Amino acid sequence: MLKGLVLALSALSAPLAARAAPSLPPEAQCAEEAGKNERLYDIPARLLNSISVVESGRYDRDYKATLAWPWTVTSQGEGKYFPSKAEAIAEVRRLQVKGVKSIDVGCMQINLMYHPSAFASLDEAFEPVANVGYAARFLKGLFGATDNWVTAASYYHSQTPHLAAAYRERLMKVWDGAGTQMASLTRRAAPQAMVKPGKGPGPVPSTSARVEEQRRAWRQQQTGIQDEARVIAAAYRQARIGEYQMRRARMAEARKARGLSPDGY
């Protein structure tokens, strides 16, 4: 939710188009802008879109997929999805009147307290073009600081180690399945003669061998953690069995000493 590593990036002030493509339904606008910005800033395919799904995604029964929603507002640990931009803006103003400052808005859940200069107005903050564009430049800046896309994506949420790790695990699962999610969105949009979000269905290669290596390293690390967890679990079960057998043996000895049957009968 953009609460960590707030950088003074000159790129964040890059000019933005005022409005998203009006022909797209709301559920497709975040993905469309994410795809454009991935190509514009050379961000690995589907990574920015995956972040948007983690940040503002909700399950759409028509598309049978989790899609980012442009009029999402989150504050005090509660996220709300509004049917229109006007209603989302009204919610933010209501929260601000109450004194709430930490509010995440839009496709990419930009935090208004940590990024007070990101947008000229709330109207702009909820425009997918502006919201996703800002997030793309912020993510690009994080990559410049870390030289690792997976780390940069984790820091998008937080630099606190355990928060970044939890976010990374969730994000990587979404990123690995992003092709399927985008394909679902494209199939639904096509019969309505809409502009297809992103690059369309099917697997999309990473932008570089290094990015793919980073993803592979993460998967191997997760496999190692899972293997270790299985070994620990097996050892724990074996130890418990051993303890149980020792208790049974002591009970049998005690019963025998008292002249009772060892097996309790």
Side-chain angles (χ1 to χ4, degrees), residues 1-5 51 54-55 142 146 148-173 218 221-222:
M1 293 187 180
L2 293 179
K3 294 179 181 176
L5 199 59
I51 292 174
V54 172
E55 292 290 340
L142 292 171
T146 62
N148 185 297
W149 281 113
V150 175
T151 301
S154 303
Y155 285 178
Y156 181 95
H157 175 70
S158 174
Q159 274 194 95
T160 304
H162 74 279
L163 296 177
Y167 187 84
R168 179 173 62 248
E169 183 174 357
R170 183 181 176 192
L171 174 63
M172 293 299 288
K173 291 177 181 177
W218 180 86
Q221 180 187 43
Q222 295 306 301

Short mmCIF file of all heavy atoms in Angstrom, two decimals, residues 1-5 51 54-55 142 146 148-173 218 221-222:
data_model
loop_
_atom_site.label_atom_id
_atom_site.label_comp_id
_atom_site.label_asym_id
_atom_site.label_seq_id
_atom_site.Cartn_x
_atom_site.Cartn_y
_atom_site.Cartn_z
N MET A 1 0.81 -1.20 0.00
CA MET A 1 0.00 0.00 0.00
C MET A 1 0.86 1.27 0.00
O MET A 1 0.46 2.32 0.47
CB MET A 1 -0.95 0.00 1.18
CG MET A 1 -2.01 -1.09 1.08
SD MET A 1 -3.24 -0.97 2.36
CE MET A 1 -4.24 -2.39 1.91
N LEU A 2 2.06 1.16 -0.51
CA LEU A 2 2.92 2.32 -0.70
C LEU A 2 3.22 3.05 0.59
O LEU A 2 3.20 4.27 0.64
CB LEU A 2 2.28 3.29 -1.71
CG LEU A 2 2.18 2.78 -3.14
CD1 LEU A 2 1.51 3.82 -4.01
CD2 LEU A 2 3.52 2.44 -3.73
N LYS A 3 3.52 2.28 1.66
CA LYS A 3 3.82 2.93 2.92
C LYS A 3 5.32 2.92 3.23
O LYS A 3 5.72 3.42 4.26
CB LYS A 3 3.04 2.26 4.06
CG LYS A 3 1.54 2.45 3.93
CD LYS A 3 0.79 1.77 5.03
CE LYS A 3 -0.71 1.96 4.87
NZ LYS A 3 -1.47 1.22 5.87
N GLY A 4 6.12 2.33 2.35
CA GLY A 4 7.52 2.22 2.64
C GLY A 4 8.38 2.80 1.55
O GLY A 4 8.00 2.88 0.39
N LEU A 5 9.60 3.23 1.93
CA LEU A 5 10.61 3.75 1.00
C LEU A 5 10.03 4.84 0.12
O LEU A 5 10.02 4.74 -1.10
CB LEU A 5 11.18 2.62 0.14
CG LEU A 5 12.53 2.92 -0.53
CD1 LEU A 5 13.58 3.25 0.50
CD2 LEU A 5 12.99 1.77 -1.38
N ILE A 51 0.35 -6.43 -8.76
CA ILE A 51 0.33 -5.59 -7.57
C ILE A 51 -1.04 -4.95 -7.42
O ILE A 51 -1.60 -4.88 -6.32
CB ILE A 51 1.43 -4.50 -7.66
CG1 ILE A 51 2.81 -5.15 -7.56
CG2 ILE A 51 1.25 -3.47 -6.54
CD1 ILE A 51 3.96 -4.17 -7.77
N VAL A 54 -3.44 -7.46 -5.95
CA VAL A 54 -3.22 -7.64 -4.52
C VAL A 54 -3.76 -6.45 -3.74
O VAL A 54 -4.36 -6.60 -2.68
CB VAL A 54 -1.72 -7.83 -4.22
CG1 VAL A 54 -1.45 -7.81 -2.72
CG2 VAL A 54 -1.21 -9.14 -4.81
N GLU A 55 -3.57 -5.25 -4.29
CA GLU A 55 -3.95 -4.04 -3.58
C GLU A 55 -5.46 -3.78 -3.59
O GLU A 55 -6.04 -3.46 -2.56
CB GLU A 55 -3.23 -2.83 -4.20
CG GLU A 55 -1.72 -2.82 -4.00
CD GLU A 55 -1.34 -2.56 -2.56
OE1 GLU A 55 -2.16 -2.02 -1.79
OE2 GLU A 55 -0.20 -2.92 -2.19
N LEU A 142 11.87 2.25 -7.00
CA LEU A 142 12.27 1.22 -6.04
C LEU A 142 13.22 0.22 -6.68
O LEU A 142 14.17 -0.24 -6.05
CB LEU A 142 11.03 0.49 -5.51
CG LEU A 142 10.08 1.31 -4.63
CD1 LEU A 142 8.79 0.53 -4.36
CD2 LEU A 142 10.75 1.68 -3.32
N THR A 146 17.03 -0.87 -5.57
CA THR A 146 17.30 -2.24 -5.12
C THR A 146 17.92 -3.14 -6.19
O THR A 146 18.53 -4.16 -5.86
CB THR A 146 15.99 -2.92 -4.66
OG1 THR A 146 15.08 -2.99 -5.79
CG2 THR A 146 15.33 -2.12 -3.54
N ASN A 148 16.43 -5.13 -8.05
CA ASN A 148 15.78 -6.43 -8.01
C ASN A 148 14.27 -6.20 -8.04
O ASN A 148 13.73 -5.54 -7.15
CB ASN A 148 16.18 -7.18 -6.73
CG ASN A 148 15.64 -8.59 -6.67
OD1 ASN A 148 14.42 -8.80 -6.64
ND2 ASN A 148 16.52 -9.57 -6.66
N TRP A 149 13.60 -6.74 -9.05
CA TRP A 149 12.17 -6.46 -9.21
C TRP A 149 11.33 -7.09 -8.10
O TRP A 149 10.33 -6.50 -7.66
CB TRP A 149 11.69 -6.95 -10.58
CG TRP A 149 12.03 -6.00 -11.69
CD1 TRP A 149 12.91 -6.22 -12.72
CD2 TRP A 149 11.50 -4.69 -11.88
NE1 TRP A 149 12.97 -5.11 -13.53
CE2 TRP A 149 12.11 -4.15 -13.05
CE3 TRP A 149 10.58 -3.90 -11.19
CZ2 TRP A 149 11.81 -2.89 -13.53
CZ3 TRP A 149 10.28 -2.62 -11.67
CH2 TRP A 149 10.89 -2.13 -12.83
N VAL A 150 11.70 -8.27 -7.65
CA VAL A 150 10.94 -8.92 -6.59
C VAL A 150 11.05 -8.12 -5.30
O VAL A 150 10.06 -7.90 -4.59
CB VAL A 150 11.42 -10.37 -6.39
CG1 VAL A 150 10.71 -11.00 -5.19
CG2 VAL A 150 11.17 -11.20 -7.65
N THR A 151 12.27 -7.66 -4.98
CA THR A 151 12.47 -6.84 -3.79
C THR A 151 11.74 -5.52 -3.91
O THR A 151 11.10 -5.05 -2.97
CB THR A 151 13.97 -6.60 -3.55
OG1 THR A 151 14.63 -7.85 -3.40
CG2 THR A 151 14.19 -5.76 -2.30
N ALA A 152 11.83 -4.91 -5.09
CA ALA A 152 11.15 -3.63 -5.32
C ALA A 152 9.65 -3.77 -5.12
O ALA A 152 9.01 -2.91 -4.50
CB ALA A 152 11.46 -3.12 -6.73
N ALA A 153 9.09 -4.85 -5.63
CA ALA A 153 7.66 -5.08 -5.48
C ALA A 153 7.28 -5.30 -4.02
O ALA A 153 6.20 -4.89 -3.58
CB ALA A 153 7.23 -6.28 -6.33
N SER A 154 8.16 -5.94 -3.26
CA SER A 154 7.91 -6.14 -1.83
C SER A 154 7.93 -4.82 -1.09
O SER A 154 7.10 -4.56 -0.21
CB SER A 154 8.96 -7.08 -1.24
OG SER A 154 8.99 -8.31 -1.92
N TYR A 155 8.89 -3.96 -1.44
CA TYR A 155 9.02 -2.66 -0.80
C TYR A 155 7.90 -1.71 -1.20
O TYR A 155 7.69 -0.69 -0.54
CB TYR A 155 10.37 -2.04 -1.16
CG TYR A 155 11.55 -2.65 -0.43
CD1 TYR A 155 12.85 -2.22 -0.69
CD2 TYR A 155 11.36 -3.67 0.50
CE1 TYR A 155 13.93 -2.76 -0.03
CE2 TYR A 155 12.45 -4.24 1.16
CZ TYR A 155 13.73 -3.78 0.89
OH TYR A 155 14.80 -4.33 1.54
N TYR A 156 7.21 -2.02 -2.28
CA TYR A 156 6.05 -1.22 -2.67
C TYR A 156 5.07 -1.15 -1.50
O TYR A 156 4.42 -0.14 -1.25
CB TYR A 156 5.39 -1.85 -3.89
CG TYR A 156 4.18 -1.12 -4.41
CD1 TYR A 156 4.29 -0.19 -5.44
CD2 TYR A 156 2.91 -1.35 -3.88
CE1 TYR A 156 3.18 0.49 -5.92
CE2 TYR A 156 1.79 -0.68 -4.36
CZ TYR A 156 1.94 0.24 -5.38
OH TYR A 156 0.83 0.93 -5.84
N HIS A 157 4.99 -2.24 -0.77
CA HIS A 157 4.08 -2.31 0.38
C HIS A 157 4.74 -1.81 1.66
O HIS A 157 4.19 -0.96 2.36
CB HIS A 157 3.62 -3.76 0.59
CG HIS A 157 2.78 -3.97 1.80
ND1 HIS A 157 1.50 -3.49 1.90
CD2 HIS A 157 3.05 -4.61 2.98
CE1 HIS A 157 0.99 -3.81 3.09
NE2 HIS A 157 1.92 -4.49 3.75
N SER A 158 5.94 -2.33 1.95
CA SER A 158 6.60 -1.97 3.20
C SER A 158 8.06 -2.41 3.17
O SER A 158 8.40 -3.41 2.53
CB SER A 158 5.89 -2.62 4.38
OG SER A 158 6.58 -2.39 5.60
N GLN A 159 8.91 -1.68 3.89
CA GLN A 159 10.30 -2.09 4.07
C GLN A 159 10.48 -2.92 5.33
O GLN A 159 11.55 -3.47 5.56
CB GLN A 159 11.22 -0.87 4.15
CG GLN A 159 11.67 -0.37 2.80
CD GLN A 159 12.83 0.58 2.94
OE1 GLN A 159 13.99 0.20 2.84
NE2 GLN A 159 12.51 1.83 3.19
N THR A 160 9.47 -2.96 6.18
CA THR A 160 9.55 -3.78 7.39
C THR A 160 9.67 -5.24 6.96
O THR A 160 8.80 -5.74 6.23
CB THR A 160 8.29 -3.58 8.26
OG1 THR A 160 8.15 -2.19 8.57
CG2 THR A 160 8.39 -4.39 9.53
N PRO A 161 10.74 -5.92 7.37
CA PRO A 161 11.04 -7.26 6.83
C PRO A 161 9.88 -8.24 6.83
O PRO A 161 9.58 -8.84 5.80
CB PRO A 161 12.19 -7.74 7.73
CG PRO A 161 12.88 -6.48 8.13
CD PRO A 161 11.79 -5.47 8.31
N HIS A 162 9.19 -8.42 7.96
CA HIS A 162 8.15 -9.44 7.99
C HIS A 162 6.93 -9.03 7.17
O HIS A 162 6.26 -9.87 6.57
CB HIS A 162 7.75 -9.77 9.43
CG HIS A 162 6.91 -8.73 10.10
ND1 HIS A 162 7.45 -7.58 10.67
CD2 HIS A 162 5.56 -8.63 10.30
CE1 HIS A 162 6.49 -6.85 11.20
NE2 HIS A 162 5.33 -7.45 10.97
N LEU A 163 6.66 -7.73 7.07
CA LEU A 163 5.55 -7.26 6.24
C LEU A 163 5.88 -7.42 4.76
O LEU A 163 5.04 -7.83 3.96
CB LEU A 163 5.22 -5.81 6.56
CG LEU A 163 4.71 -5.53 7.99
CD1 LEU A 163 4.49 -4.03 8.19
CD2 LEU A 163 3.41 -6.29 8.25
N ALA A 164 7.12 -7.07 4.41
CA ALA A 164 7.55 -7.21 3.02
C ALA A 164 7.56 -8.67 2.59
O ALA A 164 7.16 -9.01 1.47
CB ALA A 164 8.95 -6.60 2.84
N ALA A 165 7.98 -9.56 3.49
CA ALA A 165 8.05 -10.99 3.17
C ALA A 165 6.65 -11.56 2.94
O ALA A 165 6.42 -12.32 2.00
CB ALA A 165 8.75 -11.75 4.28
N ALA A 166 5.71 -11.20 3.81
CA ALA A 166 4.34 -11.69 3.66
C ALA A 166 3.71 -11.16 2.38
O ALA A 166 3.01 -11.90 1.66
CB ALA A 166 3.50 -11.27 4.88
N TYR A 167 3.97 -9.91 2.08
CA TYR A 167 3.42 -9.31 0.86
C TYR A 167 4.03 -9.97 -0.37
O TYR A 167 3.33 -10.25 -1.34
CB TYR A 167 3.74 -7.80 0.85
CG TYR A 167 3.08 -7.03 -0.26
CD1 TYR A 167 1.77 -6.56 -0.14
CD2 TYR A 167 3.77 -6.72 -1.44
CE1 TYR A 167 1.17 -5.83 -1.15
CE2 TYR A 167 3.17 -6.01 -2.45
CZ TYR A 167 1.88 -5.56 -2.31
OH TYR A 167 1.27 -4.85 -3.31
N ARG A 168 5.34 -10.22 -0.32
CA ARG A 168 6.02 -10.86 -1.46
C ARG A 168 5.44 -12.23 -1.75
O ARG A 168 5.20 -12.58 -2.91
CB ARG A 168 7.52 -10.97 -1.17
CG ARG A 168 8.31 -11.66 -2.30
CD ARG A 168 9.80 -11.60 -2.05
NE ARG A 168 10.19 -12.29 -0.85
CZ ARG A 168 10.67 -11.71 0.24
NH1 ARG A 168 10.79 -10.39 0.29
NH2 ARG A 168 11.02 -12.42 1.30
N GLU A 169 5.19 -13.00 -0.70
CA GLU A 169 4.64 -14.36 -0.90
C GLU A 169 3.27 -14.28 -1.57
O GLU A 169 2.98 -15.04 -2.49
CB GLU A 169 4.54 -15.07 0.45
CG GLU A 169 4.04 -16.50 0.32
CD GLU A 169 4.08 -17.25 1.63
OE1 GLU A 169 4.55 -16.67 2.63
OE2 GLU A 169 3.63 -18.41 1.67
N ARG A 170 2.44 -13.38 -1.10
CA ARG A 170 1.11 -13.23 -1.69
C ARG A 170 1.19 -12.74 -3.13
O ARG A 170 0.50 -13.24 -4.02
CB ARG A 170 0.30 -12.25 -0.84
CG ARG A 170 -1.14 -12.07 -1.33
CD ARG A 170 -1.87 -11.06 -0.46
NE ARG A 170 -3.21 -10.80 -0.96
CZ ARG A 170 -3.98 -9.82 -0.55
NH1 ARG A 170 -3.54 -8.98 0.38
NH2 ARG A 170 -5.18 -9.65 -1.06
N LEU A 171 2.07 -11.76 -3.35
CA LEU A 171 2.20 -11.18 -4.69
C LEU A 171 2.72 -12.20 -5.70
O LEU A 171 2.22 -12.26 -6.84
CB LEU A 171 3.14 -9.97 -4.64
CG LEU A 171 3.49 -9.33 -5.98
CD1 LEU A 171 2.24 -8.77 -6.66
CD2 LEU A 171 4.54 -8.24 -5.81
N MET A 172 3.71 -12.99 -5.31
CA MET A 172 4.29 -13.94 -6.25
C MET A 172 3.28 -14.98 -6.69
O MET A 172 3.30 -15.43 -7.84
CB MET A 172 5.51 -14.62 -5.61
CG MET A 172 6.69 -13.69 -5.37
SD MET A 172 7.35 -12.93 -6.89
CE MET A 172 8.15 -14.34 -7.63
N LYS A 173 2.37 -15.36 -5.81
CA LYS A 173 1.33 -16.31 -6.19
C LYS A 173 0.41 -15.69 -7.24
O LYS A 173 0.00 -16.36 -8.20
CB LYS A 173 0.53 -16.73 -4.96
CG LYS A 173 1.32 -17.59 -3.99
CD LYS A 173 0.49 -17.92 -2.75
CE LYS A 173 1.29 -18.78 -1.78
NZ LYS A 173 0.53 -19.05 -0.53
N TRP A 218 13.18 -17.22 -6.19
CA TRP A 218 12.15 -17.13 -5.16
C TRP A 218 11.42 -18.46 -5.03
O TRP A 218 11.16 -18.93 -3.91
CB TRP A 218 11.16 -16.02 -5.50
CG TRP A 218 10.07 -15.88 -4.48
CD1 TRP A 218 10.09 -15.16 -3.34
CD2 TRP A 218 8.77 -16.51 -4.52
NE1 TRP A 218 8.91 -15.28 -2.64
CE2 TRP A 218 8.08 -16.11 -3.34
CE3 TRP A 218 8.13 -17.36 -5.41
CZ2 TRP A 218 6.78 -16.54 -3.07
CZ3 TRP A 218 6.83 -17.79 -5.12
CH2 TRP A 218 6.18 -17.37 -3.97
N GLN A 221 13.56 -20.93 -3.26
CA GLN A 221 13.61 -20.62 -1.84
C GLN A 221 12.36 -21.13 -1.14
O GLN A 221 12.43 -21.72 -0.06
CB GLN A 221 13.75 -19.12 -1.64
CG GLN A 221 13.81 -18.71 -0.16
CD GLN A 221 13.77 -17.20 0.00
OE1 GLN A 221 12.99 -16.51 -0.65
NE2 GLN A 221 14.61 -16.69 0.87
N GLN A 222 11.20 -20.91 -1.77
CA GLN A 222 9.95 -21.38 -1.18
C GLN A 222 9.91 -22.90 -1.09
O GLN A 222 9.44 -23.47 -0.11
CB GLN A 222 8.76 -20.87 -2.00
CG GLN A 222 8.60 -19.36 -2.00
CD GLN A 222 8.53 -18.80 -0.59
OE1 GLN A 222 7.66 -19.17 0.18
NE2 GLN A 222 9.45 -17.91 -0.26
#
